[in-house]
Amino acid sequence: MKRIAIFASGSGSNAEKIAEYFAPNPDVEISLILTNNPQAGVIQRARKLHLPVVVFDRKSFYETNRILQLLQNQHIDLVVLAGFMMLIPEALVAAFPNRIINIHPALLPKFGGKGMYGDFVHEAVVAASEVESGITIHYVNERYDEGVIIFQASCPVEPTDTAANVAHKIHALEHQHYPRVVEEVLNSL
Ligand code: GRF
């Protein structure tokens, strides 16, 4: 059995797509959904999918080993970040080498780093008159959006596109690719 923990801070559409993708697979389990945001939409999605939810705060994430110990006690094989807004503590990165992955809604290394998340990314892409955008799935290290890139997919950005138009295209790419890439990484472990 391969066990996945998904971290999300927001709506959780990617977490939901990943959980739905693996639901028919008896050899893969979404063991935990973890969030730092008690209002996160991912909590409702997890409840609907009957997935265990853990809500934690900044203090326990950065000043205790509670979350790390929980992941180890649950024998988690792969940590998947899906719209998770906090930097991963070094102890967690060190405990899961090449076993933490993230999805970023742009073609890194462009439009990455601190503060580059959600609509801020799409607004920056439109403001820069980019002709394309896309998604980047990468391993996670101690710095935002700087780990080794695993997969990228792109989409055109039209001159008439708003940030919302770009966001819609990006979400479609994410839902199309993230579950399959998670499976490919799992199979490589
Ligand atoms: C996605 O755009 C992802 O690329 C970024 O955060 C967003 C999460 O969306 N890291 P959702 O919460 O999965 O709907």
Side-chain angles (χ1 to χ4, degrees):
M1 174 68 79
K2 292 277 179 70
R3 293 178 173 82
I4 298 173
I6 303 178
F7 284 71
S9 302
S11 166
S13 71
N14 280 284
E16 183 173 51
K17 291 296 180 193
I18 292 165
E20 289 172 345
Y21 181 88
F22 286 108
N25 186 335
D27 301 323
V28 177
E29 174 187 275
I30 310 296
S31 306
L32 282 176
I33 300 287
L34 302 102
T35 184
N36 60 301
N37 175 6
Q39 312 304 323
V42 71
I43 295 172
Q44 281 65 42
R45 293 182 196 262
R47 291 233 169 90
K48 191 180 67 176
L49 292 161
H50 309 295
L51 297 174
V53 177
V54 171
V55 182
F56 58 87
D57 61 17
R58 175 171 291 275
K59 184 175 174 57
S60 69
F61 195 49
Y62 289 116
E63 296 178 26
T64 76
N65 276 334
R66 176 188 162 220
I67 300 302
L68 173 54
Q69 285 167 351
L70 178 61
L71 296 173
Q72 292 170 325
N73 294 345
Q74 296 273 324
H75 308 291
I76 297 300
D77 297 292
L78 184 64
V79 174
V80 175
L81 308 185
F84 184 62
M85 293 299 145
M86 298 171 79
L87 205 54
I88 303 301
E90 285 186 25
L92 185 45
V93 174
F96 286 85
N98 287 328
R99 288 172 177 260
I100 309 176
I101 65 174
N102 180 48
I103 187 166
H104 183 74
L107 295 170
L108 292 176
K110 295 176 78 173
F111 305 105
K114 192 167 173 56
M116 270 293 151
Y117 60 88
D119 287 342
F120 294 115
V121 176
H122 311 311
E123 282 156 13
V125 165
V126 169
S129 302
E130 295 287 330
V131 294
E132 67 171 2
S133 189
I135 61 170
T136 302
I137 298 168
H138 61 94
Y139 288 106
V140 168
N141 62 22
E142 299 82 356
R143 293 175 303 282
Y144 282 113
D145 303 328
E146 290 185 13
V148 171
I149 292 174
I150 300 166
F151 175 81
Q152 291 189 305
S154 65
C155 62
V157 176
E158 308 301 340
T160 53
D161 276 342
T162 62
N165 296 138
V166 176
H168 182 74
K169 294 180 194 179
I170 295 297
H171 272 312
L173 281 180
E174 293 170 343
H175 298 166
Q176 177 186 354
H177 293 290
Y178 207 9
R180 189 197 72 255
V181 174
V182 167
E183 186 173 45
E184 288 166 4
V185 173
L186 267 186
N187 292 338
S188 74
L189 296 181

